[in-house]
Amino acid sequence: MQVKCLTAELSQWQKETPEMIPLNEEILVTLGKEEFQKLRHDLELVLSTIQSNNEKLKEDLEREQKWLDEQQQILESLNVLQNELKQQVVTFSESRIFNELKTKMRDIKEYKEKLLVTLGEFLEDHFPLPDRNVKKKKLLLQRRQWHPTPVLLHGKSHGRRSLKDIQESTAQLITLHEMLEILLNRLFGVPHDPYVKISDSFWPPYIELLLRNGIALRHPEDPTRIRLEAFHQ
């Protein structure tokens, strides 16, 4: 469209015959003034446009600077909040883990005590001493801590004993429950030497029961000593 306009204007100028301007001083001065006035007017328009653009750019710059300052403040606030949340998360996580472990340990301890009570009752009910009139000691495993317990055992080496000898020594026999407790204390208290000397207080059928079922093992060099199988290893 602009090309058509320029082409039409050029064609119009080509049809016109330029007028000859007389070259006297007065006319030249007048034409010069007109040209300067026109140039001044055009320059004033350009200056006004530039000043207007500068004002707009200045306003845009101030607005962008204000937005940048606000964003910087928001970023600083978020950094502070992030640091606070990190500290809270670390503290909360440590506290929660500690409480969870504490709860688990308490549950395990309660479950262990329950198992030991059940084990003690089962052993005393199903594996009594040969003479049911003998008063049995009721030692509960859950109330005894596994620490080195000196076991002072005296007696002669075991051979084949008659039923009469067994019945005469019944009053000195200990229950299977107590035998296991002695073996457990020895296993955990003195792990480098877990063997226990067999005394007259150990009823031979219970010793044989533990050995045949792999619960206890004899010493490879001393058959009068036994140990509890280390199932936890």
Side-chain angles (χ1 to χ4, degrees):
M1 184 67 182
Q2 187 176 3
V3 174
K4 291 182 178 180
C5 291
L6 292 175
T7 303
E9 185 177 357
L10 177 62
S11 177
Q12 184 67 28
W13 279 106
Q14 288 176 349
K15 291 179 181 179
E16 293 183 0
T17 302
E19 297 180 357
M20 298 298 296
I21 301 175
L23 299 177
N24 57 45
E25 184 176 354
E26 183 177 354
I27 294 175
L28 291 176
V29 170
T30 301
L31 290 175
K33 287 181 179 181
E34 290 179 356
E35 289 296 328
F36 277 118
Q37 289 294 333
K38 183 179 180 182
L39 179 61
R40 178 183 175 182
H41 181 265
D42 293 340
L43 290 176
E44 288 178 349
L45 290 177
V46 173
L47 178 61
S48 177
T49 302
I50 293 174
Q51 289 178 344
S52 178
N53 290 335
N54 286 341
E55 290 294 330
K56 184 178 180 181
L57 291 175
K58 186 178 179 180
E59 291 176 357
D60 293 341
L61 179 61
E62 291 177 352
R63 185 170 58 255
E64 293 295 331
Q65 186 64 42
K66 183 178 179 181
W67 178 85
L68 180 61
D69 294 338
E70 292 176 352
Q71 296 302 314
Q72 189 68 29
Q73 291 178 359
I74 294 174
L75 179 60
E76 292 175 357
S77 300
L78 290 175
N79 288 333
V80 173
L81 181 60
Q82 182 184 19
N83 293 332
E84 293 177 354
L85 290 176
K86 282 183 178 179
Q87 295 178 357
Q88 292 177 2
V89 167
V90 171
T91 303
F92 175 73
S93 298
E94 291 178 352
S95 176
R96 183 180 63 181
I97 292 173
F98 176 77
N99 290 332
E100 288 179 354
L101 290 176
K102 189 175 180 181
T103 302
K104 289 181 179 179
M105 289 178 64
R106 184 176 64 252
D107 294 341
I108 292 173
K109 184 177 180 180
E110 292 176 354
Y111 183 66
K112 173 187 172 184
E113 292 178 352
K114 183 178 179 181
L115 285 179
L116 292 175
V117 170
T118 304
L119 175 61
E121 294 175 350
F122 175 82
L123 292 176
E124 294 194 3
D125 291 340
H126 296 277
F127 296 93
L129 291 173
D131 187 352
R132 296 181 179 272
N133 296 324
V134 176
K135 183 178 180 181
K136 297 179 290 183
K137 299 177 183 178
K138 294 186 177 180
L139 300 178
L140 298 180
L141 288 174
Q142 76 283 2
R143 295 182 181 177
R144 301 287 293 273
Q145 296 180 352
W146 305 120
H147 55 77
T149 303
V151 182
L152 302 178
L153 302 176
H154 302 282
K156 297 179 294 182
S157 59
H158 288 273
R160 290 184 175 273
R161 298 193 301 170
S162 66
L163 179 61
K164 180 179 179 181
D165 294 334
I166 294 175
Q167 291 174 346
E168 289 177 353
S169 62
T170 299
Q172 287 77 37
L173 293 178
I174 61 175
T175 64
L176 180 60
H177 185 179
E178 293 168 328
M179 288 175 57
L180 289 174
E181 185 175 2
I182 293 173
L183 292 172
L184 278 170
N185 283 335
R186 186 70 179 182
L187 177 64
F188 287 98
V190 192
H192 60 279
D193 184 19
Y195 290 92
V196 174
K197 184 75 172 179
I198 299 176
S199 71
D200 290 338
S201 61
F202 285 27
W203 195 34
Y206 283 166
I207 297 175
E208 189 68 19
L209 174 68
L210 296 178
L211 292 173
R212 285 182 177 274
N213 290 278
I215 300 174
L217 301 173
R218 285 192 186 274
H219 193 283
E221 298 178 358
D222 186 358
T224 63
R225 300 176 65 194
I226 62 173
R227 59 162 290 181
L228 194 68
E229 176 64 61
F231 294 104
H232 63 288
Q233 295 180 353

